[in-house]
């Protein structure tokens, strides 16, 4: 018999857990009263919400999950079994898009989120709707607070399932994934709990029934639209930066397309070092823009000296040019320090070791890698970097890069046009590549003389 | 990604804490003595309108509104039944609604002045108040249903609560239209009502729909949650407000980036320092005189900032960096290259079109009917003026004299007239 893969084992374990939790609902009093009308309406909505969501260009954590809100609303309205059904229904629309493993995993996980959330709600003395009227404070005590607790439990179930799945697929350890997910979506999840509660109050206590959907629809739909717009806008922003920078780079045959290649290698190393999304974003913009300061010509009689001066000044010039862009924040410090050396002999500030911002250390390694790899090949490049780990580079960054070296080489490879330009430039001998380690040594030696 | 904490400022946080504390306190008191809770409930509305006035939203080039305060105001007009069967209907008359809304708005104006340092703008605040009165009159006073108003039918519609919601929606939609019309009127500036309306109607209509549905949710929720409905039911709208505010700032960020990167040609030595920024500022002023919409003005400004980006394709910088003295075919080449670079971003096609059009002579517009965007003509004139003056007011007369020689042939006369007007010496000169 063929061996069952770990990912399948996780999915099957989740399915069993889901079945057990549903079984539990029949033992726990009040847990299996399901109102068919409410259930049908909420499930249908969940399916529609997911179909719409697939059409919007949002990432998982930049939008509002209407399905999560509906699961939250289902708990006080129809209890754990209903919530589980809504959870399962929310995944129906995506079955044709996923492989069998992902389908089983997502169905079981969302079902489990609903049923466990519902059971937590009941355990916290949550009140399940039956048309009885309560006083306002009773509603808060017996619905809002238990639902807040249930939301936290649901978040943990969700994060744990995803964390285990990522871990068995060779991703990061469970604790890292869970912490990252809780940090990223924790606040929005609590928001879903509140909105689910409002949904339930209007539906049941205010007696509005299915018309609740219409009342709650507009603000949520508009917020969803806004998040989609923001996502599109941030893509547009990235494109604007990269193409404007590329246009200017194109003048220098050695630097043509370099920033884009460095950006891809940085992303790889950043993933390896488990950067948060905010850090990864900052690193991305820093790597695209780190050499803008190079465009400034420095006047001087001696061309070679002028060129060295230009290289020495470019981090500070770059910062000067970009300072007015608010969002760059951390990226700016990375740009300023991307030529610092681990041994403190770099420029412009001569920082050493941990004083150098982490993003700048990654940028330094990726920069040199992209300059060397197309010239001398992968193994010689890695040898050189290893030799300089602890002297020019942060050893941790070099180690992270060497773990992904073959992929990084593919990212750093030149296209035909850039290769021609490089060959011509080398033949002319007129252009100095400031990212080569020799240049860093040269400047470090000059500095020592002063 | 930008995190919420960066946008939530202290006064906003303080305002929401005050609102929640007041409402929870009032809910406890209301539960203790439902009979005499009228002032309590109305007081909560006043505090709510006041505090939420601090939650401002600026959309589409700085049209400021207070969507959450507007929603609480309209919900006041639609409220009545309270959760305790013995207690009175609060508010009980349109006069109470109006008085509460006015006091709430006054408190809001006071808080905005005190905390946000904002000058009161009475006209802008009248719109939402007027909307409240309209909604209150329609929902509470007009006997649409067998001789009584929708509010009076509330009890009878118990099993069909959706009818109350529909009646509220009817009154709310009229109120929303009133708000829209007043806000367009207040913010139209020098533009015609129709232009301004066309620019904002789409987003503003959706936003007002969200405001009205939140008002309905508060009013209906109040029959179950009492005053707690005010902070709780407005939560989705608060969420929306943050999403929209963040969207506005993301768009602002991109324009900021363009402004910073457009200096690349300056710093690389292709153009005189500050040239692009001065052309952009001048173009914007001329564009404003021509009553372009905010969106068109932004696009014009971006195009003006990037109008020389095509020069990076040149092997060596033009001496002095001024395109005005370059042969027309070379000008065309630079503009086309610039448009090509900008088009590669895939999101600035409008800007690329303008950059392309900046070299077309005005005579081609007249003789051959070549469709040249107005923005392209503006940049052509402003760029030529800037090439000749380099931001030096003393050179203005000579520059205008030279541009006037090309009037009608090279330059659009209307644009040139406006350029002369906005650069005229005086307190605003070349600012």
């Amino acid at each position: 018999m063929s061996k069952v893969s770990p990912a399948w084992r996780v999915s099957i374990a989740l399915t069993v857990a889901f079945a057990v939790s549903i079984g539990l609902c029949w033992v726990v009093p009040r847990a299996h009263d399901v109102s068919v009308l409410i259930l049908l309406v909420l499930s249908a909505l969940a399916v529609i919400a997911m179909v719409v969501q697939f059409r919007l260009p949002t990432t998982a954590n930049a939008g509002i999950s209407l399905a999560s809100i509906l699961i939250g609303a289902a708990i006080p309205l129809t209890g754990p079994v209903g919530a589980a059904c809504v959870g399962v229904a929310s995944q129906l629309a995506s079955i044709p898009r996923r492989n069998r493993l992902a389908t089983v995993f997502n169905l079981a996980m969302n079902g489990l989120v609903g049923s466990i959330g519902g059971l937590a709600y009941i355990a916290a003395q949550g009140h399940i709707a039956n048309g009885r009227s309560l006083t306002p404070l009773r509603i808060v005590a017996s619905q809002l607070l238990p639902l807040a607790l249930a939301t936290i439990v649901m978040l943990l179930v969700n994060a744990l399932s995803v964390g285990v799945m990522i871990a068995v697929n060779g991703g990061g350890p469970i604790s890292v994934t869970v912490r990252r997910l809780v940090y990223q979506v924790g606040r929005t999840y609590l928001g879903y709990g509140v909105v689910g509660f409002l949904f339930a109050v209007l539906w049941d206590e205010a007696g509005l029934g299915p018309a609740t959907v219409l009342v709650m629809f507009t603000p949520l739909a508009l917020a969803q639209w806004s998040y989609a717009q923001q996502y599109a806008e941030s893509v547009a922003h990235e494109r604007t930066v990269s193409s404007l920078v590329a246009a200017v780079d194109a003048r220098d045959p050695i630097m043509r397309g370099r920033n884009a290649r460095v950006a891809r290698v940085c992303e790889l190393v950043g993933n390896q070092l488990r950067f948060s999304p905010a850090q990864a974003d900052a690193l991305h913009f820093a790597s695209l823009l780190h050499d803008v300061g190079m465009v400034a010509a420095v006047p001087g009689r001696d061309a070679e000296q002028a060129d060295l001066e230009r290289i020495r000044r470019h981090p500070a010039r770059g910062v000067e040019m970009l300072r007015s862009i608010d969002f760059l924040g951390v990226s700016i410090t990375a740009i300023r320090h991307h030529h610092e050396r681990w041994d403190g002999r770099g420029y412009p500030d001569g920082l050493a070791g941990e004083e150098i911002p982490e993003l700048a250390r990654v940028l330094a390694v990726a920069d040199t890698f992209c300059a060397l790899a197309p010239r001398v090949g992968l193994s010689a490049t890695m040898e050189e970097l290893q030799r300089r780990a602890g002297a020019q580079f942060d050893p941790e960054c070099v180690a992270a890069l060497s773990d992904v070296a073959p992929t990084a080489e593919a990212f750093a490879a030149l296209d035909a046009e850039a290769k021609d330009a490089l060959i011509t430039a080398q033949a002319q001998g007129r252009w100095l590549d400031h990212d080569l380690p020799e240049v860093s040594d040269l400047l470090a030696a000059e500095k020592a003389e002063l | 990604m930008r995190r919420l904490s960066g946008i939530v400022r202290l006064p906003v946080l303080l305002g929401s804490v005050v609102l929640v504390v007041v409402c929870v306190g009032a809910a406890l008191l209301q539960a203790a003595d439902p009979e005499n809770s009228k002032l309590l409930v109305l007081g909560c509305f006043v505090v709510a309108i006041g505090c939420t006035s601090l939650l401002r939203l600026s959309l589409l080039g700085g049209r400021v509104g207070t969507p959450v305060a507007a929603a609480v105001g309209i919900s006041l007009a639609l409220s009545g039944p309270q959760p305790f069967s013995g207690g009175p209907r609060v508010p009980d008359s349109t006069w109470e609604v109006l008085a509460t809304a006015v006091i709430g708005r006054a408190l809001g104006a006071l808080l905005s002045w005190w905390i946000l340092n904002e000058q009161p703008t009475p006209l802008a605040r009248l719109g939402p108040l007027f909307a409240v009165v309209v909604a209150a009159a329609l929902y509470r006073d007009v006997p649409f249903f067998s001789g009584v108003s929708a509010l009076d039918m509330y009890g009878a519609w118990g099993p069909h609560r959706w009818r109350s919601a529909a009646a509220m929606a009817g009154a709310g939609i009229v109120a929303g239209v009133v708000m829209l019309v007043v806000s367009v009127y207040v913010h139209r500036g020098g533009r015609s009502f129709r232009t301004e309306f066309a620019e904002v109607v789409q987003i503003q209509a959706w936003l007002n729909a969200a405001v009205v549905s939140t008002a309905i949710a508060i009013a209906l929720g109040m029959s179950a949650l009492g005053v707690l409905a005010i902070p709780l039911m407005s939560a989705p709208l608060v969420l929306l407000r943050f999403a929209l505010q963040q969207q506005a700032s993301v768009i602002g960020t991109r324009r900021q980036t363009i402004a910073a990167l457009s200096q690349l040609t300056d710093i690389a030595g292709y153009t005189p320092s500050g040239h692009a920024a001065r052309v952009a500022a001048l173009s914007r002023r001329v564009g404003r005189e021509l009553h372009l919409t905010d969106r068109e003005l932004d696009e014009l400004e971006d195009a003006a900032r990037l109008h020389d980006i095509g020069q990076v394709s040149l092997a060596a910088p033009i001496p002095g960096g001024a395109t005005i003295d370059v042969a027309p075919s070379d000008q065309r080449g630079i503009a086309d290259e610039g448009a090509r670079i900008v088009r590669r971003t895939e999101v600035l096609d409008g800007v690329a079109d303008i950059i392309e059009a900046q070299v077309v002579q005005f005579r081609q517009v007249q003789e051959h009917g070549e469709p040249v965007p107005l923005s392209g003509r503006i940049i052509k004139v402003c760029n030529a003026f800037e090439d000749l003056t380099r931001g030096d007011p003393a050179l203005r007369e000579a520059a205008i004299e030279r541009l006037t020689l090309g009037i009608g042939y090279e330059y659009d006369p209307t644009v040139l007239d406006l350029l002369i007007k906005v650069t005229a010496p005086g307190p605003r000169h070349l600012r």
Side-chain angles (χ1 to χ4, degrees):
Chain A
M1 199 185 135
S2 69
K3 213 167 139 250
V4 181
S5 77
W8 267 109
R9 256 183 257 167
V10 173
S11 300
I12 292 168
L14 268 184
T15 315
V16 171
F18 177 42
V20 170
S21 71
I22 292 293
L24 212 61
C25 294
W26 257 265
V27 184
V28 175
R30 301 188 296 134
H32 59 276
D33 309 329
V34 175
S35 148
V36 178
L37 168 73
I38 298 179
L39 189 56
L40 284 181
V41 173
L42 291 182
S43 301
L45 279 175
V47 172
I48 296 170
M50 289 307 273
V51 170
V52 172
Q53 196 151 349
F54 277 126
R55 289 170 192 277
L56 289 175
T58 41
T59 54
N61 56 5
I64 300 179
S65 164
L66 292 175
S68 301
I69 291 174
L70 291 168
I71 298 178
I75 291 176
L77 284 173
T78 75
V81 177
C85 292
V86 175
V88 169
S90 70
Q91 298 303 311
L92 293 179
S94 54
I95 287 180
R97 292 161 191 270
R98 290 190 175 130
N99 63 27
R100 208 175 299 156
L101 174 66
T103 304
V104 171
F105 174 77
N106 280 293
L107 284 176
M109 181 180 76
N110 281 282
L112 189 66
V113 163
S115 56
I116 297 279
L119 286 170
Y121 180 80
I122 287 176
Q125 306 295 318
H127 167 88
I128 293 178
N130 53 11
R132 254 189 315 139
S133 62
L134 301 168
T135 63
L137 293 171
R138 282 284 297 156
I139 295 177
V140 169
S142 67
Q143 289 196 340
L144 182 57
L145 300 182
L147 195 56
L149 179 87
T151 313
I152 294 170
V153 172
M154 286 155 76
L155 171 63
L156 289 179
V157 171
N158 193 335
L160 267 176
S161 314
V162 174
V164 171
M165 193 49 142
I166 287 180
V168 302
N169 276 332
I174 299 175
S175 60
V176 172
T177 317
V178 169
R179 209 176 318 140
R180 194 162 73 178
L181 277 176
V182 168
Y183 177 74
Q184 270 173 21
V185 298
R187 222 173 336 206
T188 20
Y189 235 87
L190 277 178
Y192 297 156
V194 173
V195 177
F197 163 76
L198 302 179
F199 211 95
V201 167
L202 284 182
W203 187 302
D204 186 51
E205 272 89 3
L208 194 52
T212 308
V213 178
L214 298 176
V215 174
M216 298 296 281
F217 170 76
T218 328
L220 296 175
L222 196 52
Q224 185 73 284
W225 169 83
S226 170
Y227 282 120
Q229 294 293 305
Q230 283 176 40
Y231 179 70
E233 186 64 37
S234 64
V235 171
H237 185 208
E238 203 275 344
R239 270 207 202 114
T240 309
V241 172
S242 55
S243 26
L244 290 185
V245 169
V248 178
D249 283 350
R251 303 183 312 124
D252 180 339
I254 290 188
M255 299 305 289
R256 186 173 297 170
R258 170 78 62 82
N259 293 323
R261 293 194 291 274
V262 174
R264 296 187 68 189
V265 174
C266 277
E267 190 187 345
L268 209 57
V269 179
N271 282 343
Q272 201 63 21
L273 292 170
R274 311 223 176 287
F275 280 178
S276 71
Q279 272 178 307
D281 244 28
L283 180 59
H284 181 71
F285 280 106
S287 52
L288 281 179
L289 292 166
H290 70 280
D291 276 341
V292 288
M294 288 291 278
V295 301
V298 174
R301 228 171 291 158
D302 180 358
E304 200 180 318
Q305 278 307 315
D307 209 28
L308 280 180
E309 190 55 31
R310 180 170 74 116
I311 292 169
R312 213 175 283 128
R313 283 194 200 167
H314 84 273
R317 292 302 299 266
V319 169
E320 224 170 275
M321 292 166 63
L322 301 169
R323 206 165 21 206
S324 59
I325 311 183
D326 294 335
F327 83 96
L328 283 177
V330 195
S331 310
I332 291 274
T333 55
I335 291 170
R336 180 169 178 91
H337 297 299
H338 76 276
H339 283 295
E340 302 288 358
R341 291 168 56 117
W342 190 252
D343 56 16
R345 293 161 65 220
Y347 56 96
D349 294 333
L351 302 183
E354 306 268 343
E355 288 170 10
I356 309 170
E358 193 176 15
L359 301 186
R361 287 181 252 155
V362 175
L363 200 45
V365 175
D367 229 2
T368 308
F369 182 86
C370 288
L372 272 181
R375 286 193 168 89
V376 300
L378 181 59
S379 54
T381 304
M382 285 322 295
E383 225 167 85
E384 182 73 22
L385 293 183
Q386 301 282 11
R387 207 167 56 73
R388 289 168 173 271
Q392 185 179 350
F393 301 120
D394 176 2
E396 235 175 273
C397 294
V398 175
L401 179 59
S402 59
D403 286 344
V404 289
T407 326
E409 193 201 11
F411 285 170
L414 306 179
D415 56 23
E417 202 184 323
K419 211 176 272 174
D420 288 347
L422 180 65
I423 292 167
T424 327
Q426 272 175 332
Q428 288 174 347
R430 201 157 66 81
W431 302 86
L432 188 61
D433 186 344
H434 79 288
D435 287 330
L436 287 176
E438 300 93 271
V439 178
S440 171
D441 288 347
L442 178 68
L443 289 170
E446 270 192 6
K447 197 173 179 181
E449 277 169 32
L450 286 179
Chain B
M1 290 289 119
R2 205 168 287 254
R3 253 172 278 124
L4 213 58
S5 53
I7 303 168
V8 183
R9 305 240 169 71
L10 189 65
V12 170
L13 203 65
L14 215 67
S16 27
V17 170
V18 168
L19 178 58
V20 170
V21 168
V22 166
C23 285
V24 170
L28 291 169
L29 292 175
Q30 193 184 18
D33 184 11
E35 309 268 314
N36 300 310
S37 60
K38 180 182 237 170
L39 282 179
L40 210 59
V41 175
L42 295 182
C44 280
F45 270 111
V46 168
V47 173
I49 295 178
C51 288
T52 51
S53 293
L54 296 175
L55 265 187
R56 301 138 51 77
L57 172 65
S58 50
L59 277 178
L60 298 168
R63 292 173 183 78
V64 179
T66 50
V68 186
V72 177
I74 294 179
S75 77
L76 183 61
L78 305 177
S79 297
Q82 296 293 321
F84 306 96
S85 45
R89 209 159 72 172
V90 188
D92 199 29
S93 71
T94 302
W95 291 115
E96 277 177 24
V97 171
L98 181 61
T100 313
V102 168
I103 299 172
R105 282 279 163 184
L107 177 66
L110 196 68
L111 286 175
S112 312
W113 171 72
W114 187 39
I115 296 176
L116 302 177
N117 240 331
E118 179 203 69
Q119 292 305 312
T121 44
L123 194 60
R125 284 174 198 281
L126 273 183
L129 273 183
F130 191 44
V132 170
V133 175
V134 169
L138 285 176
Y139 182 70
R140 321 177 80 95
D141 297 333
V142 184
F144 279 126
F145 307 94
S146 45
V148 293
S149 72
L151 179 62
D152 294 327
M153 290 297 285
Y154 191 90
W157 279 341
H160 306 286
R161 185 57 68 228
W162 62 268
R163 291 191 183 180
S164 294
M168 288 178 182
I173 288 168
V174 177
V177 171
V178 168
M179 275 196 295
L180 176 62
V181 169
V182 174
S183 114
V184 169
Y185 184 81
V186 170
H187 288 121
R188 77 188 187 291
R191 292 183 278 267
S192 74
F193 185 86
R194 189 184 301 214
T195 327
E196 171 75 8
F197 186 81
E199 190 177 11
V200 302
V201 67
Q202 210 173 4
I203 177 76
Q204 204 73 45
W206 275 103
L207 183 60
N208 284 0
V211 165
V212 168
S213 40
T214 303
I216 296 172
I218 297 174
L220 286 173
M222 191 159 273
S223 67
L225 290 169
V227 289
L228 288 176
I230 302 173
L232 282 172
M233 289 289 172
S234 46
L237 190 63
V238 174
L239 173 88
L240 172 63
R241 180 266 179 196
F242 281 115
L244 290 176
Q245 191 68 60
Q246 189 173 326
Q247 185 183 346
S249 81
V250 171
I251 293 173
T253 300
R254 180 152 68 95
R255 303 205 48 241
Q256 216 177 29
T257 309
I258 291 177
L261 292 182
S262 68
Q263 308 165 28
L264 283 171
T265 45
D266 285 7
I267 295 176
Y270 283 105
T271 46
S273 158
H275 170 69
R278 286 194 298 267
V279 175
L282 197 54
S283 298
R284 198 177 176 100
R285 278 166 64 192
V286 173
R288 202 174 289 139
E289 293 288 320
L290 284 163
H291 300 310
L292 298 187
T293 65
D294 287 339
R295 219 169 301 192
E296 288 166 334
L297 281 176
D298 286 352
E299 211 165 60
L300 168 66
E301 191 178 328
D302 290 348
R305 283 189 184 280
L306 295 171
H307 77 276
D308 272 337
I309 194 92
Q311 287 198 30
V312 298
S313 67
L314 301 177
I318 301 170
T323 38
I324 186 173
D325 294 324
V326 175
S329 68
D330 288 345
Q331 285 186 17
R332 165 112 264 166
I334 293 171
D336 286 351
E337 177 62 20
R340 203 177 62 79
I341 291 170
V342 171
R343 209 155 263 148
R344 229 179 305 160
T345 65
E346 293 176 39
V347 287
L348 295 173
D349 281 352
V351 172
D353 290 341
I354 299 173
I355 293 179
E356 231 163 27
Q358 64 172 322
V359 290
V360 180
Q361 294 172 324
F362 185 64
R363 128 191 113 77
Q364 278 161 298
V365 181
Q366 285 201 306
E367 291 169 16
H368 308 295
E370 204 171 312
V372 174
L374 177 58
S375 305
R377 286 178 260 155
I378 296 175
I379 293 179
K380 184 174 180 62
V381 173
C382 294
N383 178 41
F385 179 78
E386 228 300 304
D387 276 346
L388 294 170
T389 59
R390 305 270 159 89
D392 181 358
L395 299 173
R396 173 178 176 268
E397 292 302 318
I400 287 175
E401 205 167 296
R402 176 155 170 206
L403 293 186
T404 316
L405 293 178
I407 200 167
Y409 181 86
E410 190 75 28
Y411 305 114
D412 182 337
T414 324
V415 175
L416 188 52
D417 281 349
L418 286 172
L419 175 90
I420 293 170
K421 183 179 156 199
V422 301
T423 59
R428 279 162 42 116
H429 181 56
L430 283 182
R431 205 167 30 183

